[in-house]
Amino acid sequence: MAIHLTGSNALLLLTPKTGSTWIRRKIRELGLAFEDLGDPAMREHDLLASFDRSRYGFVGAFVRDPLEWYRSYWSYRMEKGWRPQYPLDEHCQSDDFQTFVRRAATLLPGALGNIYTSYVGAPDDEIDFIGKQENLAEDFARFLEQAGETFDRSVLFDSSRVNATTIRPDYPEELKELITLSEWETMGRFGYLADRPDPIGLAEIQARFPEDANDLRLLCLWTEKIHWAPDDKKREAGRPVAADTRYARVNSNFALFAEHKRQDAAYAGGRYREALRLDPLHPRTLCNYALHVAAHEGDTDQARSLMLRALAVRPQHPYTLGKLAGLTAGELADPELAEVFYRQSLAANANQSELRVEFANFLAGRDRLDEALALLGPEVERPEADRLTLLTHASLLARSGRVAQARDFQRRATATAA
């Protein structure tokens, strides 16, 4: 339910975990005339949409730094129990704070921003007053003054915290970074970004590609998520993951985004170089930067050198071996060596359908059709064979004069596409 101060006709909405219990106690201590409005089933937290704003002279609510809101929410649930009717509880419940934050940031990114908006309104249609839980006493005093209430300010500054949880989980910077990414727009809207570092330069790339701002934020979260399993294994083995390594991964993905989605080669080059400054020995980044150098700077020698640096770190890195095979076959015109790299790459990871097709075309281009068909043969017999593999096999069959068989595989490819 919300609080209606009847003397001033002000409405105060009670955003969860922003000091509601303290506010209720202080209103009683101040002796202000009030009534509860709303649906008791909402447990004191009715939304803005439940009220006709035009009926009140002044409408207010409070927000809280998302970093502390999530910790407080988890601690409260650990003491009082989870409530599956709420999305955060249903999808993110965990007795482990790290797991809760990881789930919340990636399964429900921006969840708190949606909660805040349901109390204070959209950015272009905000209520009259938005206070901050961090300055609860001072901001509540301002709310009462602006609403037109008469009260004794000293009462607001003479008390301890109310309804505070006793659980305080560890809060490493990595989890704070996740929440910052998840609630980026909300933290910016309410002034909580000013004290937060931006080690990956998210603000910069969003400013450069504003139409992709949300996609870029989600790209950061996805980059973090796909590395949790291997990173956790490293930590369990006593090998901590440096923050710079995590930042390098995001920079590398920013570079790929800029290069391939926005065709901004110059900006991509800068992000690749920043990634390698942070993590000079990351094989995939070295390989992708090599491809960038070859495509946009025409320096195949440097490209080859970068790929060899990657292989010096991980000699059987399938991605780099495959890209080096293509570079060697094309720009470096050394087909014998290229074939060695193709075979090494597939030996390191046989589940590379596109590379297998590339190698088959390479063999066919050297008048080795039977070998090319044999390479794709086991793959096309699988029920889940992909369309590109089927079409390539059909093309090679047609070139070898087996037209009827080629048509069969073309039909399969068409059915796969459908």
Side-chain angles (χ1 to χ4, degrees):
M1 303 181 78
I3 296 173
H4 177 215
L5 297 172
T6 55
S8 59
N9 192 31
L11 180 70
L12 182 62
L13 300 163
L14 301 175
T15 313
K17 307 309 299 174
T18 61
S20 303
T21 303
W22 182 91
I23 288 171
R24 282 193 170 278
R25 191 180 82 178
K26 288 303 173 184
I27 286 175
R28 290 187 174 89
E29 290 179 2
L30 290 168
L32 300 177
F34 77 96
E35 62 178 348
D36 288 324
L37 296 181
D39 183 356
M42 290 297 292
R43 299 170 62 86
E44 301 189 346
H45 300 299
D46 291 80
L47 309 179
L48 178 61
S50 301
F51 302 94
D52 179 358
R53 291 167 65 174
S54 67
R55 295 182 56 188
Y56 306 97
F58 197 68
V59 181
F62 279 77
V63 296
R64 184 178 191 172
D65 185 341
L67 298 182
E68 290 305 318
W69 190 94
Y70 277 97
R71 174 156 63 178
S72 177
Y73 188 88
W74 179 83
S75 298
Y76 182 80
R77 288 294 182 229
M78 291 301 294
E79 290 185 348
K80 305 295 185 180
W82 297 90
R83 298 176 64 83
Q85 65 265 43
Y86 300 122
L88 269 176
D89 296 45
E90 178 186 3
H91 299 290
C92 309
Q93 173 182 340
S94 176
D95 291 344
D96 176 66
F97 182 57
Q98 175 179 268
T99 301
F100 167 72
V101 169
R102 285 179 171 182
R103 289 175 179 171
T106 55
L107 297 178
L108 298 173
L112 181 57
N114 294 331
I115 293 173
Y116 283 171
T117 295
S118 68
Y119 287 91
V120 307
D124 58 353
D125 189 28
E126 288 183 346
I127 58 176
D128 305 303
F129 180 91
I130 302 175
K132 292 185 175 181
Q133 188 269 351
E134 296 79 19
N135 306 311
L136 187 56
E138 185 61 43
D139 282 4
F140 186 52
R142 289 197 301 112
F143 169 77
L144 294 175
E145 290 168 351
Q146 293 178 31
E149 294 284 346
T150 301
F151 62 99
D152 181 357
R153 286 179 61 94
S154 65
V155 173
L156 300 179
F157 297 89
D158 182 25
S159 67
S160 58
R161 296 173 65 193
V162 179
N163 201 31
T165 56
T166 58
I167 299 173
R168 295 283 290 178
D170 291 337
Y171 211 167
E173 184 63 23
E174 186 172 347
L175 294 186
K176 293 180 180 179
E177 289 170 358
L178 275 179
I179 290 176
T180 301
L181 290 172
S182 176
E183 302 294 343
W184 183 265
E185 288 80 8
T186 296
M187 293 182 75
R189 177 183 178 184
F190 298 114
Y192 291 113
L193 276 183
D195 296 328
R196 291 297 301 149
D198 183 13
I200 57 174
L202 178 58
E204 175 196 287
I205 195 170
Q206 285 185 326
R208 191 176 187 92
F209 307 115
E211 66 275 28
D212 299 301
N214 189 55
D215 287 346
L216 290 163
R217 180 179 65 92
L218 295 178
L219 175 62
C220 298
L221 290 169
W222 174 81
T223 303
E224 292 291 323
K225 183 177 180 177
I226 63 172
H227 288 95
W228 286 337
D231 283 356
D232 288 347
K233 287 183 180 179
K234 289 179 183 177
R235 294 187 181 100
E236 290 170 5
R239 297 158 53 203
V241 178
D244 281 355
T245 298
R246 294 188 291 104
Y247 304 150
R249 296 165 181 163
V250 178
N251 273 281
S252 184
N253 282 339
F254 279 170
L256 288 169
F257 171 89
E259 181 175 6
H260 297 290
K261 183 168 183 178
R262 287 298 167 195
Q263 291 74 52
D264 191 337
Y267 186 77
R271 284 290 189 163
Y272 278 128
R273 288 187 286 274
E274 174 63 9
L276 290 173
R277 182 189 70 80
L278 293 166
D279 188 357
L281 301 177
H282 189 256
R284 185 172 285 266
T285 302
L286 284 164
C287 185
N288 284 332
Y289 184 43
L291 296 173
H292 173 87
V293 167
H296 300 287
E297 299 176 18
D299 192 339
T300 54
D301 288 338
Q302 185 188 3
R304 180 177 181 274
S305 177
L306 288 164
M307 289 183 183
L308 291 176
R309 277 175 56 191
L311 292 173
V313 178
R314 286 183 59 186
Q316 298 303 314
H317 192 237
Y319 179 77
T320 301
L321 285 165
K323 296 303 181 183
L324 182 56
L327 181 73
T328 305
E331 286 82 352
L332 299 178
D334 190 342
E336 286 76 16
L337 184 57
E339 182 173 346
V340 172
F341 291 138
Y342 276 126
R343 294 191 184 281
Q344 287 181 336
S345 180
L346 289 171
N349 180 7
N351 298 317
Q352 298 183 83
S353 58
E354 289 187 14
L355 184 70
R356 191 179 301 276
V357 166
E358 181 183 322
F359 186 28
N361 284 323
F362 167 85
L363 291 171
R366 302 194 71 205
D367 297 324
R368 295 161 63 182
L369 273 173
D370 288 343
E371 291 181 59
L373 288 166
L375 179 68
L376 297 182
E379 296 301 308
V380 298
E381 295 303 323
R382 297 167 58 205
E384 64 272 22
D386 63 86
R387 183 170 181 269
L388 178 61
T389 300
L390 292 169
L391 285 175
T392 303
H393 194 65
S395 174
L396 295 177
L397 284 169
R399 286 174 60 181
S400 67
R402 287 174 268 183
V403 177
Q405 287 180 275
R407 287 175 182 162
D408 288 340
F409 283 104
Q410 285 178 328
R411 282 191 288 269
R412 276 188 60 192
T414 301
T416 301

